[in-house]
Amino acid sequence: MMRIRSKIKPEIADEQYGFVEGKGITNVIYTLRTLIQKAIEVQKDVYLCFIDYTKAFDRVRHDEIMKDLTQIKIDGKDLRVIRNIYWEQTAAMRVEGETSAYQNLKRGVRQGCVLSPDLFSLYSQLIMRNIEGLRGIHIG
């Protein structure tokens, strides 16, 4: 896992604080507070955007994360390990004693696994890279 983590870590932007060792919400709060205080001093508006990651771990598409891992040169052996641990899974639902047919799971990272935060960070980082440079909105 450390070998995989060492290949993922350089891909994560300095601006990302979630699941990054040595960074946390207190760092973000301090930075935001400082920026807001400076904006107030010079009488400028501040606009913030928060992304709600509720249930986000469940939305990671397996085919996309495997493609992303290949792009950052995770080798065949490590890819096989990840595929076997994470994505060769099936699940069924049980309702009132009746069990449905088993279905292949095609998205989501495993909660509680040490590699899941890294995979999620990589996935979200690559999404952010894809939207960089897109025209935003102009206010004022």
Side-chain angles (χ1 to χ4, degrees), residues 99-118:
T99 303
S100 71
Y102 280 84
Q103 301 290 320
N104 289 327
L105 299 178
K106 296 184 181 189
R107 64 180 190 187
V109 291
R110 297 177 84 169
Q111 294 182 12
C113 179
V114 296
L115 195 53
S116 291
D118 294 313

Side-chain angles (χ1 to χ4, degrees), residues 61-130:
R61 292 177 43 201
H62 297 167
D63 56 340
E64 290 295 320
I65 196 67
M66 294 307 282
K67 183 177 75 173
D68 296 340
L69 289 167
T70 303
Q71 286 177 350
I72 65 167
K73 309 290 190 256
I74 299 292
D75 66 23
K77 179 181 178 183
D78 290 333
L79 281 176
R80 281 191 306 278
V81 167
I82 292 169
R83 186 176 289 117
N84 290 336
I85 291 174
Y86 289 88
W87 290 290
E88 296 298 325
Q89 300 179 43
T90 59
M93 291 180 24
R94 184 176 304 162
V95 178
E96 295 180 8
E98 298 280 329
T99 303
S100 71
Y102 280 84
Q103 301 290 320
N104 289 327
L105 299 178
K106 296 184 181 189
R107 64 180 190 187
V109 291
R110 297 177 84 169
Q111 294 182 12
C113 179
V114 296
L115 195 53
S116 291
D118 294 313
L119 293 173
F120 179 76
S121 292
L122 176 65
Y123 188 75
S124 60
Q125 179 65 45
L126 294 174
I127 289 171
M128 292 300 172
R129 283 186 193 165
N130 287 331

Side-chain angles (χ1 to χ4, degrees), residues 10 16 24-25 27-28 36 40 42 44 52 60 95 111 127-129:
Q16 187 165 325
I25 191 68
N27 300 103
V28 176
I36 292 168
I40 290 169
V42 296
K44 293 285 185 183
D52 182 3
V60 174
V95 178
Q111 294 182 12
I127 289 171
M128 292 300 172
R129 283 186 193 165

Side-chain angles (χ1 to χ4, degrees), residues 47-60:
Y47 300 92
L48 300 172
C49 174
F50 292 94
I51 300 172
D52 182 3
Y53 279 133
T54 304
K55 305 221 182 228
F57 269 38
D58 298 334
R59 301 289 183 203
V60 174

Side-chain angles (χ1 to χ4, degrees), residues 32-49 139:
L32 283 175
R33 185 172 180 190
T34 302
L35 287 171
I36 292 168
Q37 285 175 334
K38 294 293 182 186
I40 290 169
E41 288 173 13
V42 296
Q43 298 180 354
K44 293 285 185 183
D45 293 328
V46 175
Y47 300 92
L48 300 172
C49 174
I139 301 173

